[in-house]
Each structure stands twice: as structure tokens, then as C-alpha cells.
Amino acid sequence: MCGIFGVYNVEEASKLAYLGLYALQHRGQESAGIASSDGSKVYSYVKMGLVADNFTPDVFDKIPGRAAIGHCRYSTTGTSSIKNAQPLTVSYSRGQLAMAHNGNLVNADMVRAELEANGAIFSSTTDTEVIVHLLAHSKKNGFREMLIDALKRVKGAFSLVVLTENELVGVVDPWNFRPLNLGKKDGGYVLASETCAFDIIDAEYIRPLEPGEMVIISEKGVESFKPFKPAKQKKCIFEFIYFSRPDSYIFGQSVQKARKALGAELAKENIVKADYVIPVPDSANSSATGYARESNIPYEMGIIRNHYIGRTFIEPSQSIRDFGAKIKYNPVKEILNGKDLVVIDDSIVRGTTSRKLVKMLRRVGAKDINWRISSPPITHPCFYGVDTATRAELIAASHTVEEIKKYLKVESLSYLSIDGLVKAVGGKKEDYCLACFCGEYPVEFNAEPEKMGFEG
Ligand code: AMP
Ligand code: SF4
């Protein structure tokens, strides 16, 4: 994942980027950074940690100007360290630029090896730096042409915002794996992974970027190009299931509407008798309302989530059962004792969270526990910018639904079907990437899965 944001021609651009990143914090909590431009120079401030902790009032003097981009990072594989934090700011033959990337390139290792063989020295392990090196090495004339030239050499998922001294660029790969949206703010323009970042700064949502589209925002306004060979669009359907915030529009659609439809579809496919529908908060709240409405079973907040988990946690010296899960969740005995439940979660990855939650629910006296998942079983890892664990770790890669049911120790377990998923989200099946549910990868990768050490 990762959240990206850009703003052009506004007062206090870096403060707006800060607010935008704050709204996108759910997309990455490891590092947060902002690069800005005052028309003649690019400035940058990047730090490990959360947006609200990193940007104290004194920081904004270091990132002046009327244009800015921002990034909050979630590393897929490889190290989480400051050298990989973004935006990546560099000086090259034409001046300065800063780049922020959401997605994963599938040929970054090969291109990087080639560049290194020709003398390039990398300072990070991000695939984003591969794009920057390709751009700096390009023989084309001018920044735009050099950027297009660089992007034509890479394969995979990229939604990018790029800032130079006097331009802001937004660009999406031809498959459109990750969302990027265009908005308006006073006399300026805004780009963001999700539209919840527009709402927080009172910007007006214009539209999503199209597959393979590049927008150049400058003194001339917004210019749109389609510089790449067209491909079949493959929007990440997991954005609707889990990653994006329900109050956002992505790919031109409401996430909340899609998520409620996921729950309703799940109920249509597999209804069960119970006293309550309980969401695993917060990611299943919306789909559980859809399930409850469709099934006519009352919705209850039977599990409460603690939102204030810090980055480091002092573990108790004595062992406390299911400690990890207890930091995050606590069941409400008053509601659950003696009741039959339908518990809704958005997905099962390794199965550890669900198993621990079931134990917690039993301890407060829940009777029948019917586990319902508003997505199909995750059988394959993602190579396009999401950490869905390795194949060996994915419980549904090697276990049947019946076996997972036994592992979780629930009365029943069922997942949403792939067809039900597409029906709920809307649109055509071929327009979505469904690889983690079926193994049909829309863009081939060259490396062994375990060697995919690049990040975005
Ligand atoms: P697990 O214990 O590994 O089965 O984790 C399942 C939980 O992780 C679900 O409740 C999801 O909300 C959440 N989840 C799903 N996909 C991801 C992801 N890519 N990164 C982090 N959490 C995820
Ligand atoms: Fe999204 Fe899954 Fe495709 Fe990755 S493999 S882009 S998570 S749908």
C-alpha cells in the first residue's frame, strides 16, 4: 500500500499535504514525508513514524512554497528504514525532483541490476529509486519526456506523484492497479490516493485518473496525456475489501457502498440463523451492516477495538494468553454471553487473528460462532504493492474451507465467492485484479516470489 498526496498552487502547501497524509494514514504507518517547492527549489522532510508525530509546527518552515507532495509508507517486503522513506528527493542534470510511489514494480530487480552494472549507485532498496535512476539516465529531452521514457521501462503497479521546481505530475500505470484521484482546491489542484484526503482540506473531487494517464499540473493548469501502450485495466479489488477508507471514492466508486454490498452479497450466498451480526472492527463494520440488513439479524458492536496502539509495546514478562489480539480487541460480555453469532471479517490472511478472536468470544460465553468473510479465500500473494504474506503463510493456500473451520474452532465458516465479490463491487470482472484469490496474475513477474525485495 502507501498513501500519496500532491497539491499545487495553494497557500501553505505543506500544511495541506500534512492534513492529506493524516487522512491517508491508514495506508501506511512506517514513515511519513513531505517535499515542497517554492518555485525555484525543492525541499524535503521525511521521518520514520506517524504523520501526527512527525510534523511539529517548526517543521513547516523547512518545507515552504505553494506546491507539495506527501507519502506515508507501508513496506511490503524488505526493511522498514529511513533510507527507504519517501518522497525520494534528488538532484539530476535538469534540476531537482521529488517522487512518491504507491505500488510495486515487478521488474525492478532486473532493471536495477542493469543500472548497477552501468555504474548507478543506489541509496535505498525501493523500486521507486529505479524509476528515478532511469529518469536521470534518459537521453530524452526535458523532464516530461524523461519521466515517460523511464516509466516505459518499468512493469507493474505505480501510482506516482512527482514534484519539480514548477510542476506537479500524477501518473498511473496502464493497468491502474492503485487508485489516484484529481481534485480542486481554491485556484489550485490536488492529487490523492483516496478522496478522504480531499475532504479534510475542503478540496473538491474532480475524477479518478484513468488507466495509463499522466496529468501535468503547472501554471498552465491541468494537461492530460496517455503516454503508455494501453493495457487491460486491472484495478485492485482488495482496495474495496480492506485497504481504502469507507468514506473515500476510489476508481470513481464509493468504498462504503461497495463494502455494504459485499456484506449483503455474503448474506445472500450464505445466510445463517443467529442472535447478532458482529463485525470485527473496524475493517468489517461496513460489510457487517450490509449483512445485518440483508439477513434481518440485529447488528451489535460485540467486539471493541483499541485505536491507540503505539509503535513499540512492552510485552508482559508473564505469559498472557493471546496477548497480541488483546492489545487490539476486547469482546463485550454483556452482549455476547449465551448468544449465537455471525461474525463478519473482511479477510483471513494467516488465520491467527480469527483464531484468537474465536477464543476470546468463547471465554465471554458466546454459543454458536458462525464466521463469515466478505472476500474469497486468499490463496496467492500479491506482487503489486500489498503485503498479503508469502504463499506458505496464507492459510487458504494450503487448507480447505473445512480445514480452516476446524482450525478456527467455529460452528461454520464461509467466504464470499469471486462472482459475488465482483457483483457487489460492480463493473466487469475483467476490469479487476483478482490474483490473490485465483492466482491469475495480470502482469507477469520475473523474480522468484521470495526474492521480490522491493517496496512501495
Ligand atoms: P490474519 O491473522 O493474518 O488472518 O489477519 C487477518 C486480518 O488482517 C483481517 O482481519 C484483515 O482485516 C487484516 N488484513 C487483511 N489484509 C491485510 C494486509 N495486507 N495487511 C495487513 N492486514 C491485513
Ligand atoms: Fe489487489 Fe490482490 Fe491484485 Fe494484489 S493480487 S493487486 S491485493 S487484487
Side-chain angles (χ1 to χ4, degrees), residues 431-445:
D431 289 346
Y432 292 106
C433 175
L434 295 158
C436 47
F437 306 117
C438 66
E440 282 169 30
Y441 291 99
V443 179
E444 285 167 42
F445 37 88

Side-chain angles (χ1 to χ4, degrees), residues 304-363:
I304 302 300
R305 181 173 166 186
N306 187 332
H307 290 97
Y308 306 101
I309 303 162
R311 285 182 62 78
T312 48
F313 229 87
I314 303 159
E315 301 238 357
S317 48
Q318 269 185 309
S319 86
I320 292 176
R321 274 184 299 169
D322 304 326
F323 178 70
K326 278 182 185 150
I327 296 171
K328 207 167 164 184
Y329 303 112
N330 200 24
V332 184
K333 188 173 181 180
E334 184 66 24
I335 290 172
L336 304 173
N337 191 10
K339 294 293 190 287
D340 293 336
L341 309 176
V342 184
V343 181
I344 314 283
D345 203 357
D346 63 275
S347 56
I348 295 178
V349 183
R350 296 170 182 82
T352 43
T353 312
S354 323
R355 188 174 151 106
K356 285 176 180 171
L357 277 167
V358 172
K359 272 203 225 168
M360 286 163 90
L361 296 173
R362 296 277 186 222
R363 262 183 237 138

Side-chain angles (χ1 to χ4, degrees), residues 237-345:
I237 206 152
F238 226 103
E239 290 278 353
F240 290 104
I241 297 166
Y242 172 71
F243 305 134
S244 292
R245 250 171 63 164
D247 50 336
S248 285
Y249 286 82
I250 53 159
F251 307 122
Q253 284 167 258
S254 155
V255 177
Q256 170 75 345
K257 191 173 162 204
R259 231 166 254 180
K260 281 178 77 175
L262 291 174
E265 203 54 42
L266 185 62
K268 279 182 203 154
E269 283 187 3
N270 209 304
I271 204 128
V272 66
K273 268 187 144 181
D275 296 307
Y276 296 129
V277 173
I278 308 279
V280 174
D282 294 321
S283 49
N285 290 355
S286 309
S287 49
T289 56
Y291 192 103
R293 203 168 282 183
E294 182 64 34
S295 62
N296 269 322
I297 302 171
Y299 176 95
E300 275 287 358
M301 293 295 292
I303 302 170
I304 302 300
R305 181 173 166 186
N306 187 332
H307 290 97
Y308 306 101
I309 303 162
R311 285 182 62 78
T312 48
F313 229 87
I314 303 159
E315 301 238 357
S317 48
Q318 269 185 309
S319 86
I320 292 176
R321 274 184 299 169
D322 304 326
F323 178 70
K326 278 182 185 150
I327 296 171
K328 207 167 164 184
Y329 303 112
N330 200 24
V332 184
K333 188 173 181 180
E334 184 66 24
I335 290 172
L336 304 173
N337 191 10
K339 294 293 190 287
D340 293 336
L341 309 176
V342 184
V343 181
I344 314 283
D345 203 357

Side-chain angles (χ1 to χ4, degrees), residues 123-201:
S123 58
S124 75
T125 57
T126 61
D127 48 1
T128 317
E129 199 183 348
V130 170
I131 303 174
V132 172
H133 275 279
L134 284 171
L135 188 151
H137 279 83
S138 171
K139 303 274 184 292
K140 297 280 181 189
N141 231 336
F143 161 71
R144 290 178 197 189
E145 291 307 319
M146 289 167 90
L147 177 61
I148 293 168
D149 191 35
L151 293 174
K152 282 184 175 168
R153 297 249 354 248
V154 297
K155 256 181 28 184
F158 58 82
S159 282
L160 295 176
V161 287
V162 190
L163 183 71
T164 67
E165 292 90 341
N166 43 34
E167 286 171 316
L168 169 66
V169 180
V171 56
V172 172
D173 65 70
W175 300 275
N176 200 183
F177 281 105
R178 306 267 146 244
L180 188 60
N181 302 284
L182 176 67
K184 227 170 154 174
K185 167 76 185 160
D186 306 327
Y189 290 96
V190 198
L191 295 164
S193 301
E194 295 179 35
T195 61
C196 63
F198 295 163
D199 300 334
I200 194 171
I201 59 162

Side-chain angles (χ1 to χ4, degrees), residues 24-83:
L24 297 173
Q25 183 76 84
H26 60 287
R27 296 184 70 90
Q29 297 95 38
E30 287 175 13
S31 65
I34 293 174
S36 72
S37 165
D38 62 3
S40 57
K41 206 171 160 216
V42 175
Y43 306 82
S44 153
Y45 187 85
V46 175
K47 224 176 142 190
M48 298 303 289
L50 299 174
V51 178
D53 297 335
N54 288 0
F55 292 92
T56 46
D58 53 306
V59 166
F60 294 98
D61 292 341
K62 299 178 187 145
I63 36 179
R66 294 178 61 82
I69 62 168
H71 185 267
C72 50
R73 177 160 185 271
Y74 158 98
S75 66
T76 45
T77 52
T79 51
S80 161
S81 77
I82 188 69
K83 69 180 189 339

